[in-house]
Amino acid sequence: AQSVTQLGSHVSVSEGALVLLRCNYSSSVPPYLFWYVQYPNQGLQLLLKYTTGATLVKGINGFEAEFKKSETSFHLTKPSAHMSDAAEYFCAVGGATNKLIFGTGTLLAVQP
Amino acid sequence: KAGVTQTPRYLIKTRGQQVTLSCSPISGHRSVSWYQQTPGQGLQFLFEYFSETQRNKGNFPGRFSGRQFSNSRSEMNVSTLELGDSALYLCASSLDDRGSYEQYFGPGTRLTVT
């Protein structure tokens, strides 16, 4: 069975500050891990994914995430927040199929 | 390349009716998955189709069904609508069904049941 926990349903940062969104997963098989972003009234956009290989994954818009097997974590970071980063972020876990299990989401607010 | 398209974008139905939603995947993609998004339950997997065959199914009642055509376009159908079926329905397409490929989501169909 697979599951995802996103700590913090709401996160607020100042423009220019570090963004850290937390994701912990549980999986009985080697996981594939994904971060998606959703803007209001839109679908999900893939930010980055981890399947195998390098544990530090770089994505679009300056985001990156590190797969830490020992901590079962896949936290999303961005060194400097921009106003346009305000959105809802979802962590998801998958495996050998396309079925994704999503976390409950973190709504990121960026203050000027 | 055109992205994933979903029609219609918005739909209002009455309890007890049925509804069909359509999803056109990215050209060349053979896998289409459907998800339901609600404020209370979040994003939940409905089912996946690959090469016209259902590969995976989530924990939804039999009122939810789907199919995929030979051109990879997919439809999902909900019969005997209930108020709780009000949600954003998202479809995602992928090159194949092995899980490691990116899944690209459409803009969704917002279904309101009154």
Side-chain angles (χ1 to χ4, degrees):
Chain A
Q2 297 178 309
S3 66
V4 173
T5 302
Q6 289 185 242
L7 292 174
S9 58
H10 291 79
V11 170
S12 182
V13 300
S14 298
E15 191 173 19
L18 171 72
V19 175
L20 171 60
L21 304 182
R22 299 178 187 275
C23 172
N24 287 88
Y25 70 91
S26 172
S27 179
S28 56
V29 297
Y32 295 154
L33 294 160
F34 306 83
W35 274 100
Y36 284 87
V37 61
Q38 186 176 35
Y39 297 98
N41 299 315
Q42 294 188 27
L44 302 175
Q45 181 183 12
L46 180 66
L47 283 175
L48 48 80
K49 68 171 187 178
Y50 168 80
T51 52
T52 58
T55 56
L56 182 62
V57 181
K58 294 188 185 298
I60 62 171
N61 302 338
F63 286 95
E64 63 182 37
E66 186 171 10
F67 170 63
K68 291 187 177 181
K69 185 177 179 180
S70 61
E71 298 178 7
T72 61
S73 69
F74 192 58
H75 302 331
L76 182 71
T77 60
K78 181 174 181 178
S80 177
H82 192 272
M83 296 296 289
S84 60
D85 295 327
E88 191 158 22
Y89 292 79
F90 293 92
C91 180
V93 63
T97 72
N98 280 339
K99 177 180 178 179
L100 294 178
I101 305 299
F102 284 89
T104 51
T106 298
L107 191 61
L108 176 67
V110 182
Q111 308 299 329
Chain B
K1 234 180 201 181
V4 178
T5 59
Q6 292 187 244
T7 57
R9 290 292 312 278
Y10 301 90
L11 206 49
I12 300 175
K13 289 287 189 178
T14 303
R15 196 169 41 181
Q17 288 185 314
Q18 76 165 17
V19 68
T20 299
L21 312 182
S22 180
C23 173
S24 292
I26 292 171
S27 177
H29 285 195
R30 295 194 295 161
S31 167
V32 174
S33 299
W34 289 88
Y35 292 82
Q36 181 196 65
Q37 185 177 24
T38 60
Q41 299 298 316
L43 281 152
Q44 293 186 288
F45 174 81
L46 280 156
F47 30 65
E48 180 202 5
Y49 286 86
F50 179 77
S51 293
E52 302 179 65
T53 302
Q54 186 179 88
R55 291 303 184 98
N56 276 298
K57 191 177 190 308
N59 295 324
F60 280 83
R63 300 185 297 106
F64 291 81
S65 63
R67 60 177 175 168
Q68 187 180 34
F69 302 94
S70 59
N71 62 358
S72 294
R73 189 177 70 85
S74 177
E75 290 181 346
M76 68 163 281
N77 183 276
V78 188
S79 61
T80 320
L81 284 165
E82 300 178 359
L83 296 179
D85 297 333
S86 294
L88 180 67
Y89 289 89
L90 295 163
C91 81
S93 79
S94 183
L95 271 172
D96 76 9
D97 64 341
R98 282 176 284 176
S100 59
Y101 285 87
E102 290 87 353
Q103 292 191 56
Y104 297 91
F105 282 78
T109 293
R110 172 78 61 187
L111 172 65
T112 302
V113 182
T114 62

